[in-house]
Amino acid sequence: MKVNRLIEKIAENWPAKVICFVMALFLYIFHHVSILDRKTFTVPLSVVADGGMYPMTDCPDYVRVTVRSTTENIAEALQADITASLDLTTYDQEGVYSVPVSVHLAPKLLLMDPFEVTVKPENVSIRMEEKALRYVPIRPALSGEPAHGYIIKGISVEPETVQIIGPRSAVEKTKQIYTDKIDTAGLMDNKSYDISLQNINSLIAIQSDKQLFHVNLTVEAEPLLRSFTDVPVKIMFLSPRLEVNGTIPGISFDVRSTVSLLDGYQLDDNAVQIDCSAIKEPGTYELPVQILLPSYFSIENKNTDTVKLVIEEKSVIEEKTTTDIRN
């Protein structure tokens, strides 16, 4: 009997009671929501590609993570407590996929109640290709010119190659990886650099434990081969009573040295000469041509080694004139 009376009491004027219950529930939820605070973080988005596929399109670098909780909880939440990632491990076929963004919270945030998390974007559209690995050579990125007269003769890199990983088509097109810029302007001596690599393709990842790579440049003086043509021959130590009959042809030759030593060098009047000190009487003689240059010059391609001279005795008139001038 008492149970029936209780049921009758509950059912009595039930529409009003339902309305009151709904209003009370609404007020409770409204109050609960009103005391929650909101905070938005910009979180780096990492890509986990430990499987056989690799992203072929650029992924966003960051996502926006919004958390809602009490004011006290929000004050304790830090950006370092939240990470975001795209997990591509489960995909095994090439194609375009909408990959959900996974948000990971530090343990202290998981213990907070209430604590709500939303992320934008929730999904990222990614085109995937089969993952490929390859070793490619390292090339120094040289900028500027060495000092005038010097050249870079040799370049070595330690180690010579580096492993790259990425989508198949991008890896196949990558022939080398360059270092950061190396300024060689005004260089005159050998020089070494410890320098990092530059990666201009965001789809490619460089797999190396090294942060810096050793580049060694060998610098040498630039060689130069300079031609001298029809250089006059100087007759040396000929007896005053003798003279050369006819014209002596000029001598042509090449000189090998370096740009810094040879560029702009001028021959003096006695550079090419014939020693006539052994000639005592008129006649026809074939004498060696001497080219007197500094020892750091190498003479090549001389057009002749000897010159034929016709030596005659000076005429009496010329001798007398010379005597009168001396007197």
Side-chain angles (χ1 to χ4, degrees), residues 261-274:
L261 295 175
L262 189 54
D263 191 23
Y265 177 79
Q266 299 295 324
L267 296 174
D268 61 39
D269 294 339
N270 297 326
V272 180
Q273 58 182 248
I274 296 176

Side-chain angles (χ1 to χ4, degrees), residues 9-282:
K9 284 288 185 180
I10 293 175
E12 183 181 348
N13 200 18
W14 67 268
K17 291 180 179 179
V18 170
I19 293 173
C20 291
F21 175 78
V22 170
M23 292 181 63
L25 180 62
F26 175 78
L27 290 174
Y28 171 79
I29 294 174
F30 177 78
H31 173 71
H32 183 74
V33 170
S34 65
I35 64 175
L36 295 183
D37 203 353
R38 181 193 304 261
K39 192 173 184 179
T40 300
F41 300 93
T42 300
V43 178
L45 179 63
S46 62
V47 177
V48 181
D50 295 332
M53 295 294 111
Y54 210 84
M56 185 56 190
T57 52
D58 288 328
C59 301
D61 294 326
Y62 297 90
V63 293
R64 296 174 64 85
V65 178
T66 301
V67 298
R68 294 182 62 201
S69 187
T70 62
T71 302
E72 294 79 7
N73 289 344
I74 288 293
E76 294 185 21
L78 303 175
Q79 181 170 322
D81 298 327
I82 304 173
T83 59
S85 65
L86 293 173
D87 189 357
L88 312 184
T89 305
T90 59
Y91 300 89
D92 57 5
Q93 297 291 328
E94 295 188 357
V96 179
Y97 298 90
S98 181
V99 183
V101 177
S102 300
V103 177
H104 310 277
L105 304 178
K108 71 175 184 180
L109 300 186
L110 296 175
L111 298 175
M112 294 180 180
D113 187 30
F115 197 85
E116 301 175 4
V117 179
T118 57
V119 59
K120 290 185 179 180
E122 295 182 355
N123 298 275
V124 177
S125 179
I126 300 178
R127 181 160 63 94
M128 299 188 203
E129 279 190 359
E130 183 181 359
K131 181 191 295 183
L133 295 91
R134 181 184 179 188
Y135 280 91
V136 295
I138 299 172
R139 297 284 184 259
L142 304 183
S143 173
E145 295 292 334
H148 177 67
Y150 291 85
I151 58 172
I152 297 175
K153 186 68 173 181
I155 302 173
S156 63
V157 182
E158 299 175 8
E160 297 180 350
T161 61
V162 68
Q163 187 185 63
I164 60 173
I165 182 173
R168 171 182 44 77
S169 60
V171 169
E172 290 175 352
K173 293 177 181 178
T174 303
K175 304 304 181 184
Q176 62 269 316
I177 294 292
Y178 288 94
T179 67
D180 286 335
K181 185 178 72 172
I182 298 175
D183 187 7
T184 62
L187 207 60
M188 300 176 65
D189 298 304
N190 298 343
K191 193 167 184 180
S192 297
Y193 305 83
D194 289 315
I195 196 163
S196 58
L197 302 181
Q198 58 172 317
N199 187 5
I200 60 176
N201 190 344
S202 59
L203 300 177
I204 296 294
I206 298 174
Q207 303 290 301
S208 177
D209 296 332
K210 291 180 173 291
Q211 297 297 321
L212 298 176
F213 292 76
H214 188 72
V215 177
N216 186 62
L217 302 182
T218 303
V219 179
E220 293 182 357
E222 183 179 3
L224 177 63
L225 183 67
R226 183 178 170 190
S227 297
F228 294 88
T229 58
D230 295 327
V231 179
V233 178
K234 184 77 170 182
I235 301 299
M236 303 294 291
F237 313 117
L238 182 62
S239 173
R241 66 183 183 83
L242 302 176
E243 64 180 358
V244 177
N245 182 17
T247 303
I248 303 174
I251 303 300
S252 298
F253 55 92
D254 295 334
V255 177
R256 185 179 298 277
S257 186
T258 63
V259 171
S260 58
L261 295 175
L262 189 54
D263 191 23
Y265 177 79
Q266 299 295 324
L267 296 174
D268 61 39
D269 294 339
N270 297 326
V272 180
Q273 58 182 248
I274 296 176
D275 184 359
C276 298
S277 59
I279 299 176
K280 306 300 182 183
E281 299 295 335

